[in-house]
Each structure stands twice: as C-alpha cells, then as structure tokens.
Coordinates of all heavy atoms in Angstrom, one line a residue:
G4 N 1.4 4.5 8.3 CA 0.1 5.2 8.2 C 0.2 6.4 7.4 O -0.6 6.7 6.6
E5 N 1.3 7.2 7.6 CA 1.5 8.4 6.9 C 1.8 8.1 5.4 O 1.3 8.8 4.5 CB 2.8 9.1 7.4 CG 3.1 10.5 6.8 CD 4.3 11.1 7.4 OE1 4.4 11.2 8.6 OE2 5.2 11.5 6.6
A6 N 2.5 7.0 5.1 CA 2.8 6.6 3.8 C 1.5 6.2 3.1 O 1.3 6.6 1.9 CB 3.8 5.5 3.7
A7 N 0.6 5.4 3.7 CA -0.6 5.0 3.2 C -1.5 6.1 2.8 O -2.1 6.2 1.7 CB -1.3 4.0 4.1
A8 N -1.5 7.1 3.7 CA -2.4 8.3 3.4 C -1.8 9.1 2.2 O -2.6 9.6 1.3 CB -2.4 9.3 4.6
A9 N -0.5 9.1 2.0 CA 0.1 9.8 0.9 C -0.2 9.1 -0.4 O -0.5 9.7 -1.4 CB 1.6 9.9 1.1
I10 N -0.2 7.8 -0.3 CA -0.5 7.0 -1.5 C -1.9 7.1 -2.0 O -2.2 7.4 -3.1 CB -0.1 5.5 -1.3 CG1 1.3 5.3 -0.9 CG2 -0.5 4.6 -2.5 CD1 1.6 4.0 -0.2
M11 N -2.8 6.9 -1.0 CA -4.3 7.0 -1.3 C -4.7 8.4 -1.7 O -5.6 8.6 -2.5 CB -5.1 6.6 -0.1 CG -5.0 5.1 0.1 SD -6.1 4.5 1.4 CE -5.4 5.3 2.9
G12 N -3.9 9.4 -1.2 CA -4.2 10.8 -1.6 C -3.6 11.2 -2.9 O -3.8 12.4 -3.4
G13 N -2.9 10.3 -3.6 CA -2.3 10.6 -4.9 C -1.1 11.4 -4.8 O -0.7 12.0 -5.8
H14 N -0.5 11.5 -3.7 CA 0.7 12.4 -3.5 C 2.0 11.6 -3.9 O 3.0 12.3 -4.2 CB 0.9 12.8 -2.0 CG -0.3 13.6 -1.5 ND1 -0.7 14.7 -2.1 CD2 -1.2 13.3 -0.5 CE1 -1.8 15.2 -1.5 NE2 -2.1 14.3 -0.5
V15 N 1.9 10.3 -4.0 CA 3.1 9.5 -4.5 C 2.5 8.5 -5.5 O 1.3 8.1 -5.4 CB 3.9 8.8 -3.4 CG1 4.6 9.8 -2.5 CG2 3.0 7.9 -2.6
T16 N 3.4 8.1 -6.4 CA 2.9 7.1 -7.5 C 2.8 5.7 -6.9 O 1.8 5.0 -7.2 CB 4.0 7.1 -8.6 OG1 4.3 8.4 -9.0 CG2 3.5 6.2 -9.8
V17 N 3.8 5.3 -6.2 CA 3.8 3.9 -5.6 C 4.4 3.9 -4.2 O 5.2 4.8 -3.9 CB 4.6 3.0 -6.6 CG1 6.0 3.5 -6.7 CG2 4.7 1.5 -6.0
G18 N 3.8 3.1 -3.4 CA 4.3 3.0 -2.0 C 4.9 1.6 -1.7 O 4.6 0.6 -2.4
L19 N 5.8 1.5 -0.7 CA 6.3 0.2 -0.3 C 6.6 0.3 1.2 O 7.1 1.2 1.7 CB 7.5 -0.2 -1.1 CG 8.8 0.6 -1.0 CD1 10.0 -0.2 -1.6 CD2 8.8 1.9 -1.7
S20 N 6.3 -0.9 1.8 CA 6.5 -1.1 3.2 C 6.2 -2.5 3.5 O 5.8 -3.3 2.6 CB 5.6 -0.1 4.1 OG 6.0 -0.2 5.4
G21 N 6.3 -2.9 4.8 CA 5.9 -4.2 5.2 C 4.4 -4.4 4.9 O 3.6 -3.5 5.0
Y22 N 4.0 -5.7 4.6 CA 2.6 -6.0 4.2 C 1.6 -5.5 5.3 O 0.6 -4.9 4.9 CB 2.4 -7.5 4.0 CG 1.0 -7.8 3.6 CD1 0.5 -7.6 2.3 CD2 0.1 -8.3 4.6 CE1 -0.8 -7.9 2.0 CE2 -1.2 -8.6 4.3 CZ -1.7 -8.4 3.0 OH -3.0 -8.7 2.7
N23 N 1.9 -5.7 6.5 CA 1.0 -5.3 7.6 C 0.7 -3.8 7.6 O -0.4 -3.5 8.0 CB 1.6 -5.7 9.0 CG 0.6 -5.5 10.1 OD1 -0.5 -6.0 10.1 ND2 1.0 -4.6 11.0
E24 N 1.6 -3.0 7.2 CA 1.3 -1.6 7.1 C 0.2 -1.2 6.2 O -0.5 -0.2 6.4 CB 2.6 -0.8 6.7 CG 3.8 -1.1 7.5 CD 3.9 -0.2 8.8 OE1 3.0 0.6 9.0 OE2 5.0 -0.3 9.5
F25 N 0.0 -2.0 5.1 CA -1.0 -1.7 4.1 C -2.1 -2.8 4.1 O -3.0 -2.7 3.3 CB -0.4 -1.6 2.7 CG 0.7 -0.6 2.6 CD1 1.9 -0.9 1.9 CD2 0.5 0.7 3.1 CE1 2.9 0.0 1.7 CE2 1.5 1.6 3.0 CZ 2.7 1.3 2.3
A26 N -2.1 -3.7 5.0 CA -3.1 -4.8 5.0 C -4.5 -4.4 4.9 O -5.3 -4.9 4.2 CB -2.8 -5.8 6.1
G27 N -4.9 -3.4 5.8 CA -6.2 -2.9 5.9 C -6.7 -2.3 4.6 O -7.8 -2.6 4.1
Q28 N -5.8 -1.5 4.0 CA -6.2 -0.8 2.7 C -6.2 -1.8 1.6 O -7.0 -1.6 0.6 CB -5.2 0.3 2.4 CG -5.3 1.5 3.4 CD -4.5 1.3 4.7 OE1 -3.8 0.3 4.8 NE2 -4.6 2.2 5.6
I29 N -5.4 -2.8 1.6 CA -5.4 -3.8 0.6 C -6.7 -4.7 0.7 O -7.4 -4.9 -0.3 CB -4.2 -4.8 0.7 CG1 -2.9 -4.0 0.3 CG2 -4.4 -6.0 -0.2 CD1 -1.6 -4.8 0.5
A30 N -7.1 -5.0 1.9 CA -8.3 -5.8 2.1 C -9.6 -5.0 1.7 O -10.5 -5.7 1.1 CB -8.4 -6.1 3.6
T31 N -9.6 -3.7 1.9 CA -10.8 -2.9 1.5 C -10.6 -2.4 0.0 O -11.5 -1.6 -0.4 CB -11.0 -1.7 2.4 OG1 -9.7 -0.9 2.4 CG2 -11.3 -2.2 3.8
K32 N -9.6 -2.9 -0.7 CA -9.3 -2.6 -2.1 C -9.1 -1.1 -2.3 O -9.4 -0.5 -3.4 CB -10.5 -3.1 -3.0 CG -10.6 -4.6 -2.9 CD -11.6 -5.2 -3.9 CE -11.7 -6.7 -3.7 NZ -10.5 -7.4 -3.8
K33 N -8.6 -0.4 -1.3 CA -8.2 1.0 -1.5 C -6.8 1.1 -2.1 O -6.5 2.1 -2.8 CB -8.3 1.8 -0.2 CG -9.7 2.0 0.4 CD -9.6 2.7 1.7 CE -11.0 2.8 2.3 NZ -11.0 3.5 3.6
L34 N -6.0 0.1 -1.9 CA -4.7 0.0 -2.5 C -4.6 -1.3 -3.2 O -5.2 -2.4 -2.8 CB -3.6 0.0 -1.4 CG -3.4 1.3 -0.6 CD1 -2.4 1.2 0.5 CD2 -3.1 2.5 -1.6
R35 N -3.9 -1.3 -4.4 CA -3.6 -2.5 -5.2 C -2.2 -3.0 -5.0 O -1.3 -2.2 -5.3 CB -3.9 -2.2 -6.6 CG -3.8 -3.5 -7.5 CD -3.8 -3.1 -9.0 NE -5.0 -2.4 -9.4 CZ -4.9 -1.2 -9.9 NH1 -3.8 -0.6 -10.2 NH2 -6.0 -0.5 -10.2
P36 N -2.0 -4.2 -4.5 CA -0.6 -4.7 -4.4 C -0.1 -5.1 -5.8 O -0.8 -5.8 -6.5 CB -0.8 -5.9 -3.5 CG -2.2 -6.4 -3.7 CD -3.0 -5.2 -4.0
L37 N 1.2 -4.7 -6.0 CA 1.8 -5.1 -7.3 C 2.8 -6.3 -7.1 O 2.9 -7.1 -8.0 CB 2.6 -3.9 -7.9 CG 1.7 -2.7 -8.2 CD1 2.7 -1.6 -8.8 CD2 0.6 -3.0 -9.2
A38 N 3.5 -6.3 -6.0 CA 4.6 -7.3 -5.8 C 5.1 -7.3 -4.4 O 4.9 -6.4 -3.7 CB 5.7 -7.0 -6.8
V39 N 5.7 -8.4 -4.1 CA 6.4 -8.6 -2.8 C 7.9 -8.8 -3.0 O 8.2 -9.3 -4.1 CB 5.8 -9.7 -1.9 CG1 4.4 -9.4 -1.4 CG2 5.8 -11.0 -2.7
T40 N 8.7 -8.4 -2.0 CA 10.1 -8.5 -2.2 C 10.7 -9.8 -1.7 O 11.9 -9.9 -1.4 CB 10.8 -7.3 -1.5 OG1 10.6 -7.4 -0.1 CG2 10.3 -6.0 -2.1
S41 N 9.9 -10.8 -1.6 CA 10.3 -12.1 -1.0 C 10.8 -13.0 -2.2 O 10.5 -12.8 -3.3 CB 9.1 -12.8 -0.3 OG 8.0 -12.8 -1.1
P42 N 11.5 -14.1 -1.8 CA 12.0 -15.0 -2.9 C 10.8 -15.9 -3.5 O 10.9 -16.3 -4.6 CB 13.0 -15.9 -2.1 CG 12.6 -15.8 -0.7 CD 12.1 -14.4 -0.5

C-alpha cells in the first residue's frame, strides 16, 4: 500500500511487488504493468 502510494505520487520511477499488491490500481488503470518475473 505504501509502495503503491509512492508510485502513484511520482516519488519513485518504477515499483515492484506481488501482483495482488497492485491489482486494484492496475484494474483502474492508475498503474501500468510492464512485466512479471515469472517464467
């Protein structure tokens, strides 16, 4: 939650965490996913 706020507030360039941490913001298009770390 803290990381998502920092990303949306422009305090960091890029954020990373488990998908569920950002799922809500991705769904509402507040965050844009670039990649996943899966095979």
Side-chain angles (χ1 to χ4, degrees):
E5 184 181 307
I10 300 159
M11 290 186 293
H14 303 299
V15 295
T16 310
V17 57
L19 66 165
S20 188
Y22 178 81
N23 183 61
E24 303 275 5
F25 301 138
Q28 292 84 3
I29 291 173
T31 56
K32 300 189 183 304
K33 292 178 180 178
L34 292 176
R35 181 191 307 123
L37 299 179
V39 289
T40 64
S41 52

